[in-house]
Amino acid sequence: MSLKTMLREDALKDHVVVITGGGTGLGRAMAEHCLRLGARVCITGRKLDVLERTAAEMSALGGEVFPFSCDVREVERVGALRDAVLAKWGRVDALVNNAAGNFISPTERLGSKAFQTIIDIVLMGTVNCTLAFGKQWIKAGEKDKCILNIVTTYAWTGSGYVAPSACAKAGVLALTRSLAAEWGKYGIRNNAIAPGPFPTKGAWSRLLPGELVEKFDMTKKVPLARMGRPGELADLATYLISPYSGYINGEVITIDGGEWLKGAGQFNLLDQIEPGMWDAIEQLVRGTKGS
Ligand code: HXC
Ligand code: NAP
């Protein structure tokens, strides 16, 4: 990944950012960008060994990283996370709800436990962290705080084969918009990012396992004909965390190369027509005049 960031190097100086699922994939990319911009970053996840390894590798970027193991489904542990960060740095400026669980499956193969597991991680995990940090900010009367939720584009379209994730992400999007309206008065902004395909190990091993990755080329669905780069998402995330986006509240920003719109537009499939055929097609259409 490029060392360059969109924002200038001290854009997040003195900021403390907590990133759930910050030990891997997109969470890690966002954590690295925050560090480059001068923030102190707490990365959380269930696996302490992964977090500690990531933190050690990231220390080369300078700044302070605090790895803390926390299952976002456990309310008490989330409280312990908040208390540990406050004890260490005395403040938290931004919470990034990025932790997620997902896998592909025909919905008729799922039991209620499978649904519950995904909803507990994605929706309730986001709720648990949001309440833990938000209540503390409100109680302390602290302002200029922000919550950034990572959703997906199927939060509003829905998607087959990942129905539990779609339900949970839709809930997170509703939470984002609800609290943008309700907590704005406390100086807490709530925004979301909806990424398209970013080929991380965590996502691809569960969504395109084995041969599926060759069989279903995701780049074909994207007008820009490529996948997302983690640094692109991290630039957007750090902008939304930073004071430069101080008047953005309740927004969901899509970063997908145009993927979901391509799937939605009724005639976008006409991309498949060879350019040389358009003269003949035009004649056919013009020939209908008066008929
Ligand atoms: C059917 C499954 C299943 C599968 C699990 N289950 N995997 N059912 N097909 N492939 C069922 C289990 O049988 C069980 O139900 C229930 O789900 C819970 O499974 P556990 O393995 O006990 O859960 P847990 O150990 O908590 O693990 C959670 C997990 C796992 C989600 C299943 O994959 C995980 O830890 N994931 C974290 C990282 C991750 O998913 N990253 C990808 C995010 S990508 P029963 O009834 O048998 O007890 C993403 C992007 C989307 O969100 C957009 C991309 C473009
Ligand atoms: P990832 O690497 O698998 O990230 C998921 C992270 O969540 C992991 O670090 C995992 O760490 C953590 N996590 C899972 N369950 C947890 C729990 N119960 N408590 C705490 N942490 C937990 O996948 P990713 O691709 O970077 O995904 C990051 C975010 O982007 C997710 O919200 C995902 O839905 C979203 N997204 C990704 C894509 C994409 O194409 N990659 C597209 C759209 C949206 P542990 O296993 O150690 O707990």
Side-chain angles (χ1 to χ4, degrees):
M1 191 199 305
S2 158
L3 282 178
K4 291 207 175 69
T5 53
M6 175 183 78
L7 297 175
R8 65 162 192 261
E9 273 177 20
D10 62 352
L12 294 179
K13 191 166 181 291
D14 298 329
H15 274 57
V16 171
V17 182
V18 174
I19 304 179
T20 68
T24 65
L26 301 180
R28 176 176 176 161
M30 291 187 276
E32 290 180 349
H33 252 46
C34 287
L35 282 176
R36 291 180 184 116
L37 296 172
R40 288 165 286 176
V41 185
C42 173
I43 53 171
T44 80
R46 290 165 300 180
K47 301 182 198 94
L48 187 59
D49 56 333
V50 172
L51 296 168
E52 287 180 337
R53 203 177 323 126
T54 300
E57 287 165 15
M58 288 199 302
S59 62
L61 298 169
E64 289 177 70
V65 194
F66 179 26
F68 190 94
S69 73
C70 170
D71 188 324
V72 290
R73 293 172 287 194
E74 295 171 12
V75 176
E76 280 189 11
R77 191 70 188 152
V78 171
L81 161 69
R82 177 203 53 214
D83 294 346
V85 181
L86 287 175
K88 189 173 175 62
W89 288 323
R91 60 188 283 171
V92 175
D93 299 282
L95 165 68
V96 182
N97 286 307
N98 165 78
N102 201 356
F103 54 78
I104 47 165
S105 176
T107 306
E108 65 272 20
R109 290 170 62 99
L110 300 178
S112 108
K113 172 93 185 298
F115 252 90
Q116 189 73 54
T117 299
I118 301 306
I119 288 169
D120 279 350
I121 299 172
V122 176
L123 178 55
M124 292 314 298
T126 300
V127 168
N128 294 338
C129 294
T130 298
L131 288 181
F133 288 90
K135 282 184 186 182
Q136 192 273 327
W137 287 328
I138 293 166
K139 194 170 152 203
E142 296 176 4
K143 293 199 182 298
D144 298 325
K145 306 298 178 188
C146 84
I147 296 171
L148 177 62
N149 297 323
I150 308 303
V151 295
T152 67
T153 51
Y154 59 62
W156 57 88
T157 62
S159 174
Y161 303 95
V162 285
S165 171
C167 295
K169 294 287 192 182
V172 174
L173 185 54
L175 182 72
T176 309
R177 290 172 168 153
S178 303
L179 292 186
E182 192 181 338
W183 285 4
K185 62 179 176 283
Y186 299 124
I188 303 170
R189 295 186 295 121
N190 278 263
N191 290 301
I193 292 178
F198 285 73
T200 64
K201 188 175 168 212
W204 257 224
S205 60
R206 292 171 176 95
L207 300 171
L208 290 171
E211 291 172 0
L212 293 193
V213 74
E214 276 103 48
K215 219 165 173 182
F216 298 100
D217 179 359
M218 293 293 244
T219 59
K220 291 198 175 126
K221 295 179 74 226
V222 182
L224 294 180
R226 69 168 173 86
M227 310 270 196
R229 298 173 188 131
E232 293 174 321
L233 183 131
D235 270 329
L236 176 58
T238 45
Y239 168 66
L240 288 173
I241 289 169
S242 80
Y244 296 106
S245 64
Y247 203 52
I248 298 181
N249 184 30
E251 193 52 84
V252 53
I253 300 186
T254 301
I255 177 163
D256 74 342
E259 184 203 22
W260 87 266
L261 281 170
K262 181 170 179 176
Q266 198 158 39
F267 286 93
N268 291 339
L269 81 174
L270 298 190
D271 265 352
Q272 291 163 29
I273 291 179
E274 293 294 328
M277 288 177 67
W278 277 109
D279 282 345
I281 292 169
E282 182 177 338
Q283 290 309 314
L284 283 175
V285 176
R286 284 180 182 277
T288 63
K289 204 170 178 180
S291 64

